[in-house]
Amino acid sequence: MNKAIALIGLSGCGKTTYAKVLSEKLDRPLYDLDALIESKNYLSVREIFEQFGEAHFRKLEWELFLECIQDNNAIIATGGGLVPHAVMCGYKKPLNVFFVYLSPPLEEIIRRLENPVDRLQRPLLDNSVDLSQKVTLLHQARSKAYLAWADEIIETF
Ligand code: S3P
């Protein structure tokens, strides 16, 4: 397939794990957006949210995504907010990207995110929020956007 492949879906759906597997199996370069944003800005995602706000993070995230998709071989692990934010802003779905929506059961996502260390790294899900309620709300708010851009939906476990 002569297109970048982007894995999309909520935090905890397995984007990073599956992106690594795909990159190894297909021998294509891996781009993990959160990790790249952190290394380019010398700050964690949480620090970017805290110091500059979510809107700034979204700008960095979208600009970096546009850079990564210049590589038709790219395998991209996106952040959970990338596509919902792009849809909300009215951005056009890039045609040179194949979007794969990973959609495990919500209970599984919640179980995976229960680790307080994982949650600390994710400002929207940090330990101050009711995890199950927040994930359910995010799913309700975002699944339409994921479905709108998905070229393939994988109901993983
Ligand atoms: C976010 C998800 C995170 C990260 C940031 C915002 C979101 O990535 O980009 O904390 O809006 O859902 P993961 O999906 O890898 O957790």
Side-chain angles (χ1 to χ4, degrees), residues 83-95:
V83 166
H85 183 257
V87 169
M88 193 188 76
C89 292
Y91 300 161
K92 289 227 161 67
K93 175 183 166 181
L95 296 177

Side-chain angles (χ1 to χ4, degrees), residues 8 83 87 93 99 101 142-151:
I8 63 173
V83 166
V87 169
K93 175 183 166 181
F99 288 89
Y101 173 27
R142 292 178 164 180
S143 54
K144 230 176 156 180
Y146 296 136
L147 289 169
W149 279 29
D151 296 296

Side-chain angles (χ1 to χ4, degrees), residues 9-12 15-16 34 45 49 54 57-58 61 78-82 121-124 138 142 146:
L10 289 176
S11 289
K15 300 181 295 282
T16 300
D34 281 347
V45 169
F49 267 69
E54 181 174 349
F57 173 80
R58 297 297 171 205
E61 184 182 39
T78 66
L82 178 93
Q121 291 163 1
R122 295 178 163 103
L124 296 184
L138 282 173
R142 292 178 164 180
Y146 296 136

Side-chain angles (χ1 to χ4, degrees), residues 48-108:
I48 296 172
F49 267 69
E50 283 172 359
Q51 293 180 26
F52 302 102
E54 181 174 349
H56 180 71
F57 173 80
R58 297 297 171 205
K59 185 169 174 287
L60 295 177
E61 184 182 39
W62 183 251
E63 285 171 359
L64 183 62
F65 178 68
L66 294 182
E67 264 179 49
C68 295
I69 64 176
Q70 300 305 312
D71 178 355
N72 283 341
N73 283 317
I75 305 291
I76 307 168
T78 66
L82 178 93
V83 166
H85 183 257
V87 169
M88 193 188 76
C89 292
Y91 300 161
K92 289 227 161 67
K93 175 183 166 181
L95 296 177
N96 59 329
V97 184
F98 189 82
F99 288 89
V100 180
Y101 173 27
L102 300 179
S103 176
L106 276 195
E107 312 80 69
E108 177 58 20

